[in-house]
Amino acid sequence: MNLEQIYNKKNPWPARESQQVLFILDVRTRLEEEVLRGWVAHHANADNRAFEAPQVCIDLKDERTGFDSGQLVMSLALPDDTLIAPLRIVWTPSEEGALTLGRLRHLITGDPRKPSPRRGKKILSTAPDRVHLMVGKPDTMANLKQRFEAHHAVGEASSQEEFANFVARQAAVVLDMAERQLKGGRYKMPRHVASAMMANSDYNAAVQRLADEQGKPKDELMKEASQYMKEMISTPTSFWLDVYARFNTFCLGLGYEQDIVYDKAAVEKLREVVRNNPSMLLWTHKTYLDGMVVPKVMWDNDFPMPHMFGGANMNFPGLGYLLHRAGAIFIKRSFQDNELYKITLRHYIGYLMEKRFPMNWAFEGTRSRMGKLMPPRYGLLKYVLEACDATEARDIHIIPISISYDIIRDVEEYATEQTGRGKGAESLQWFIGYIRSLARPMGKVYMDIGEPVVLEKAPEPGDRLALSKIAFEVAVEANHVTPITFPSLVTMSLLGAAPKALTEEEVIEDLNALLGWAESRNVRISHDFDRSFADQMAGLLGIMIDENI
């Protein structure tokens, strides 16, 4: 293997030649270790470095096993001015492979971005342009110690190991930032959240206060909290984000047109908001597919995948596994009497808001059976704003999003419920049946983004009046940006005439009158509304007749 052309693209050594350097090598395989060590040595020889830098190998990407930080503990005894520089090798797929990312067959054949040593050697020999050597932003030992001591509470016995884990987490963060320059913003994801929370001084203090109140050992509560974290904390990965994006596209494409109707300028404005402010995306809820629309639009526009709150009822085998690895936060339906659960959830939300990971959920709490906006539920909004208050977040942006459809599959379910039959329990079998039922023409999907409701700071916890005013303002703005669509005018005309039937000419006459009324009052109309709708009547009415409307 001729690695020289790969090595010469970038120098891993920091610019200050006289300073001690510690390299942290993020490696999965022996091959990756050999390549990174060779990279360091290549430039040390070329630059005539007078000293050797210690190198520590850790797999920073595997969150399931924690860090093997023993070797790093010993290396962190270096002087305070030592520069710590993390390195990583990133494998990108071929042009053909990039088109197939997220296919389930990669569970068997392996993710092309994580090649086996044998396949990696072949890539190095035949496609060196797919190999990228990354350097995370270096930092000094002194700066890392200062940041660690400011936010972490650990005992003397574990302080060295906890500091090593902190350094490893910071190395993972800066390497991920460097990698996103290559892969795109959609792969921004929180890493090692549970371990960061368990070491956080504010979280430890909150658990200690609860332990004192309940007369229990803190260690017992921390052990219980770790189980809650396993349930609620999402653990997204690049592979499963790709699978989820492909899954959303598949489900929505079964019955709806491929392109969701939205304003690209509004999406770009949204990008600036979520990048610079703690943000929540609250969408209207009419069908189970709503939770796929916002993630799909954001994925298509290279946004970080938003974290979505979901009820534990959706955490069933299959779908629950996928969603948990694609940004979903499953929470218990009721936890009013579980103070430890509330503390853990609040600090988790605070962590995500502080790190600028947007969150999204249906603020009505359930699907609207009539299409009209339902009264907002306060529960999740309350906990998110309490987390913002605890972290002293400022300029909190709550963005209302209206999701509309020409036709929705769930109407059949609503009608069944009206006959007295209860709502069935969600399960894998139910979900497969639901997906299969989507394979019929249902028109377009619309996503409209309202003006953010901006809070200089979160209201005081327990201020229900302030909470209700905020929720009401979000609901009003969501209503304001819900557009008139062509099918909505047709159904309004037909319902208004019921039980009388209308001819096609009478429907067109009604539509002209309704459209003129809306335009004279500046009511929002979908920007793809075709004024020559008389030519579309046969197609739309045909779909509605096929759907037994």
Side-chain angles (χ1 to χ4, degrees):
M1 292 180 292
N2 182 12
L3 293 170
E4 195 164 327
Q5 60 177 313
I6 299 173
Y7 289 161
N8 287 333
K9 291 180 181 179
K10 190 180 296 183
N11 189 337
W13 287 83
R16 287 170 280 187
E17 295 187 12
S18 61
Q19 199 163 4
Q20 173 72 61
V21 180
L22 167 64
F23 287 108
I24 296 179
L25 311 184
D26 179 16
V27 297
R28 291 183 306 109
T29 65
R30 187 72 179 175
L31 174 65
E32 291 186 352
E33 180 181 346
E34 290 173 4
V35 171
L36 292 180
R37 288 189 185 276
W39 185 29
V40 173
H42 175 82
H43 284 276
N45 295 331
D47 300 343
N48 296 315
R49 297 275 178 175
F51 56 88
E52 290 188 6
Q55 300 166 28
V56 177
C57 295
I58 306 180
D59 184 356
L60 297 175
K61 290 189 176 182
D62 193 347
E63 300 195 37
R64 296 167 299 176
T65 59
F67 298 123
D68 182 9
S69 55
Q71 188 182 357
L72 185 56
V73 169
M74 295 184 289
S75 299
L76 293 177
L78 293 167
D80 282 354
D81 66 344
T82 300
L83 273 175
I84 300 177
L87 309 179
R88 173 185 292 170
I89 181 170
V90 176
W91 312 82
T92 52
S94 63
E95 289 186 15
E96 181 183 352
L99 299 175
T100 63
L101 287 176
R103 293 195 183 277
L104 289 178
R105 70 163 184 257
H106 290 144
L107 286 174
I108 300 172
T109 62
D111 188 338
R113 292 164 298 192
K114 294 183 178 180
S116 64
R118 182 182 61 82
R119 190 179 297 176
K121 287 181 180 180
K122 183 178 180 181
I123 293 171
L124 286 167
S125 299
T126 61
D129 56 305
R130 291 176 53 194
V131 183
H132 308 268
L133 302 179
M134 295 287 161
V135 183
K137 184 178 179 181
D139 204 353
T140 64
M141 190 82 69
N143 285 342
L144 288 166
K145 284 181 180 177
Q146 185 178 11
R147 289 162 55 195
F148 172 71
E149 291 167 359
H151 299 288
H152 296 77
V154 293
E156 286 295 324
S158 61
S159 60
Q160 288 184 321
E161 183 179 353
E162 290 296 335
F163 178 53
N165 289 336
F166 170 76
V167 172
R169 289 196 299 271
Q170 296 307 302
V173 168
V174 295
L175 283 170
D176 286 350
M177 292 171 65
E179 188 174 334
R180 284 200 300 275
Q181 298 298 315
L182 176 69
K183 295 169 60 177
R186 59 170 61 94
Y187 293 107
K188 178 184 178 183
M189 61 194 86
R191 301 285 307 284
H192 308 288
V193 178
S195 57
M197 283 179 59
M198 294 293 276
N200 182 271
S201 57
D202 291 338
Y203 181 69
N204 274 265
V207 175
Q208 183 63 65
R209 286 193 295 271
L210 182 63
D212 294 340
E213 292 172 7
Q214 297 183 348
K216 295 181 178 179
K218 179 191 169 189
D219 289 346
E220 181 182 324
L221 292 185
M222 293 295 280
K223 186 175 181 180
E224 183 181 345
S226 69
Q227 294 302 312
Y228 295 150
M229 290 181 189
K230 287 180 181 178
E231 294 173 9
M232 73 174 68
I233 292 179
S234 176
T235 54
T237 64
S238 297
F239 174 76
W240 287 108
L241 288 178
D242 289 332
V243 172
Y244 185 51
R246 189 175 289 276
F247 178 69
N248 288 342
T249 299
F250 168 76
C251 291
L252 290 168
L254 284 171
Y256 294 105
E257 294 184 12
Q258 182 177 359
D259 296 326
I260 295 173
V261 179
Y262 60 88
D263 182 352
K264 289 188 179 296
V267 169
E268 288 306 310
K269 182 179 177 182
L270 177 64
R271 185 193 305 278
E272 291 302 312
V273 169
V274 301
R275 178 184 294 158
N276 300 312
N277 303 279
S279 306
M280 294 165 255
L281 315 177
L282 305 192
W283 33 267
T284 58
H285 196 15
K286 300 180 180 68
T287 167
Y288 288 111
L289 297 178
D290 293 331
M292 299 179 179
V293 174
V294 174
K296 174 171 169 50
V297 170
M298 298 189 81
W299 178 268
D300 290 345
N301 288 275
D302 199 30
F303 274 72
M305 182 59 67
H307 282 67
M308 180 175 69
F309 287 107
N313 61 311
M314 296 300 291
N315 189 16
F316 50 77
L319 182 65
Y321 183 92
L322 168 60
L323 293 179
H324 197 67
R325 284 153 183 79
I329 303 170
F330 292 113
I331 57 176
K332 298 180 184 296
R333 282 291 186 183
S334 177
F335 49 87
Q336 292 300 317
D337 299 326
N338 191 332
E339 288 299 321
L340 181 60
Y341 190 92
K342 288 193 283 187
I343 289 171
T344 304
L345 177 61
R346 190 175 301 128
H347 278 79
Y348 177 37
I349 294 170
Y351 177 91
L352 294 175
M353 297 291 277
E354 183 182 0
K355 303 298 182 184
R356 300 295 185 263
F357 290 102
M359 283 173 284
N360 76 118
W361 71 91
F363 66 95
E364 297 163 274
T366 187
R367 293 170 296 160
S368 168
R369 268 51 175 177
M370 300 298 292
K372 293 182 178 181
L373 199 63
M374 299 179 67
R377 300 279 181 89
Y378 300 152
L380 281 174
L381 184 61
K382 172 178 179 289
Y383 280 105
V384 174
L385 290 177
E386 284 181 356
C388 290
D389 178 72
T391 57
E392 299 182 350
R394 292 292 182 269
D395 295 326
I396 304 157
H397 283 58
I398 308 174
I399 301 102
I401 294 179
S402 171
I403 302 174
S404 312
Y405 305 83
D406 284 349
I407 294 174
I408 59 173
R409 148 73 178 79
D410 303 48
V411 169
E412 295 174 13
E413 228 173 84
Y414 303 159
T416 301
E417 290 174 16
Q418 294 302 313
T419 64
R421 289 173 55 185
K423 176 176 173 287
E426 289 85 358
S427 65
L428 181 59
Q429 182 180 1
W430 162 85
F431 186 69
I432 292 172
Y434 181 82
I435 295 301
R436 291 177 63 184
S437 72
L438 297 174
R440 58 208 202 200
M442 291 185 286
K444 298 178 182 178
V445 181
Y446 308 82
M447 189 183 102
D448 290 82
I449 303 169
E451 286 297 317
V453 175
V454 183
L455 309 178
E456 183 181 346
K457 63 178 183 177
E460 291 291 328
D463 190 342
R464 289 193 58 82
L465 180 59
L467 189 67
S468 62
K469 286 181 177 179
I470 293 167
F472 182 77
E473 193 174 348
V474 172
V476 168
E477 185 56 32
N479 259 338
H480 180 66
V481 297
T482 299
I484 290 177
T485 62
F486 184 37
S488 67
L489 281 187
V490 173
T491 50
M492 184 175 182
S493 171
L494 295 173
L495 287 169
K500 175 190 170 186
L502 295 178
T503 66
E504 185 174 323
E505 290 74 17
E506 288 173 325
V507 171
I508 291 172
E509 184 180 349
D510 254 13
L511 295 188
N512 282 317
L514 290 168
L515 191 60
W517 182 92
E519 289 177 327
S520 69
R521 288 161 176 77
N522 293 319
V523 177
R524 187 182 183 95
I525 300 171
S526 176
H527 70 270
D528 78 324
F529 197 104
D530 188 350
R531 285 346 192 238
S532 60
F533 51 78
D535 301 332
Q536 305 175 36
M537 290 300 294
L540 174 65
L541 292 178
I543 292 174
M544 295 173 69
I545 290 168
D546 290 343
E547 288 296 309
N548 296 316
I549 295 177

